[in-house]
Amino acid sequence: MEPIEIKRIFTENIRKYRMLNSMTQQELAEAADISVSFLCDLESGKKWGTLETMAKISNALRIKPYQLLLPEENKNSDVTLHEDLSELGQFITQTVETKIKVLMKKYSM
């Protein structure tokens, strides 16, 4: 893998995990103790951080540092997991509501 590809993966993962944590660039920068402009440069690929920066960002995002370097095909998609859990929650809610309606009808409530 070429360095440019690693950098692309790194920048995409910072943005992805920031969005999954519902964080703005300002919030992530503050949590990671880096400047907003530096974070913007990292996310755009204009700059490359040190291992210390990677540790700060991963800690702020509550992930392991190596997750910032994993290509999409080599990791479980957090987005897909979130969507699947949301779908499961909706299914459970609908099932419980349906069962309650049946019971209420049965007992004439």
Side-chain angles (χ1 to χ4, degrees):
M1 185 178 297
E2 294 294 316
I4 191 78
E5 180 66 10
I6 295 170
K7 194 175 201 179
R8 182 191 61 76
I9 292 166
F10 178 69
T11 62
E12 287 176 0
N13 284 335
I14 292 173
R15 188 174 304 110
K16 173 189 167 188
Y17 286 110
R18 178 175 60 78
M19 301 294 262
L20 284 171
N21 281 288
S22 301
M23 297 175 87
T24 64
Q25 288 180 328
Q26 175 75 35
E27 291 167 333
L28 177 55
E30 287 175 7
D33 194 31
I34 60 175
S35 71
V36 176
S37 62
F38 183 58
L39 178 61
C40 291
D41 286 345
L42 288 173
E43 282 194 7
S44 67
K46 292 178 184 172
K47 290 191 178 173
W48 183 245
T50 63
L51 291 176
E52 181 182 350
T53 302
M54 187 182 297
K56 287 180 173 185
I57 291 171
S58 63
N59 286 336
L61 293 171
R62 297 185 186 117
I63 61 172
K64 301 291 183 193
Y66 71 86
Q67 289 177 271
L68 292 172
L69 298 173
L70 289 177
E72 191 63 40
E73 68 270 7
N74 289 339
K75 59 185 165 187
N76 294 328
S77 175
D78 294 330
V79 173
T80 302
L81 175 60
H82 178 65
E83 290 170 353
D84 288 346
L85 290 174
S86 178
E87 189 177 306
L88 176 62
Q90 290 172 359
F91 172 76
I92 290 169
T93 301
Q94 290 170 351
T95 303
V96 169
E97 287 174 351
T98 301
K99 187 65 175 176
I100 289 170
K101 287 177 185 176
V102 168
L103 291 172
M104 289 177 74
K105 189 174 183 178
K106 180 178 178 180
Y107 294 101
S108 300
M109 297 179 141

